[in-house]
Amino acid sequence: YGVTMDTDLLNKPLLTTEEAAPFLLVKPQTMLAWSCLRTGPLSPVKIGRRLGWRTADILKLIGGEIETV
């Protein structure tokens, strides 16, 4: 998707949608749809009007510890 992954981001407890999407090989719009429709393998944390995605959950999903639908 033309975005490089910054592995230093994995030290943060939460990632923005734009930061998280490349790790999951999806577009940010896909993650926003997961949030709105509650259909994805991960659920975000709402911080005011913004969304944060738990880095620990992303790593679990990448490692196969969270099942995808």
Side-chain angles (χ1 to χ4, degrees):
Y1 300 111
V3 178
T4 58
M5 289 185 282
D6 181 357
T7 54
D8 290 337
L9 292 173
L10 296 177
N11 295 323
K12 294 172 51 176
L14 293 173
L15 300 177
T16 66
T17 302
E18 290 74 21
E19 292 169 337
F23 288 101
L24 300 174
L25 304 176
V26 297
K27 293 183 179 181
Q29 295 89 335
T30 300
M31 296 186 74
L32 294 175
W34 290 350
S35 174
C36 291
L37 302 174
R38 298 180 184 172
T39 57
L42 300 178
S43 297
V45 175
K46 286 199 173 189
I47 306 165
R49 296 177 61 183
R50 304 193 78 158
L51 298 178
W53 300 84
R54 291 178 194 89
T55 305
D57 290 348
I58 291 169
L59 292 173
K60 286 178 185 176
L61 182 60
I62 292 169
E65 294 178 44
I66 296 176
E67 290 186 27
T68 58
V69 181

